[in-house]
Amino acid sequence: MKHRFRDLYRCLNAQFLISCWKDLNKDAASEVDKVTAEAYEENLQANIQTLEKRLKEKRYRAKLVRAMLHSKGKW
């Protein structure tokens, strides 16, 4: 029997998103949107609820990621 994902958005609820938040690297650079993990966490519940709503309404669009090239040092 084959299974097909038709609507992954319904799997993304606030409880799941908060559990994902716990696994994120909070020290990563804020990059394009300039929002640090610390700033996002200050209002985490509201931010997660807003994110969940945007996902369910299929209005969420991931922001572009800026590539960072790091030169390799000599060993």
Side-chain angles (χ1 to χ4, degrees):
M1 180 175 182
K2 282 188 173 183
H3 293 283
R4 218 169 139 186
F5 288 110
R6 295 184 189 271
D7 188 8
L8 290 176
Y9 289 103
R10 67 181 159 167
C11 299
L12 301 174
N13 58 36
Q15 182 181 359
F16 178 74
L17 294 171
I18 288 175
S19 70
C20 292
W21 171 259
K22 294 174 185 173
D23 294 331
L24 286 178
N25 177 5
K26 312 292 188 304
D27 295 326
S30 58
E31 294 298 326
V32 176
D33 61 3
K34 307 290 186 210
V35 177
T36 63
E38 185 177 276
Y40 192 86
E41 194 168 31
E42 285 177 7
N43 201 10
L44 184 61
Q45 288 296 327
N47 287 332
I48 292 289
Q49 288 174 349
T50 301
L51 176 58
E52 178 186 26
K53 182 178 179 186
R54 289 171 47 213
L55 287 167
K56 300 267 182 189
E57 294 172 353
K58 299 180 182 174
R59 292 187 305 118
Y60 174 78
R61 296 287 179 260
K63 298 208 182 338
L64 296 175
V65 176
R66 184 177 56 181
M68 299 290 291
L69 300 176
H70 298 280
S71 61
K72 294 182 179 181
K74 293 183 180 180
W75 301 100

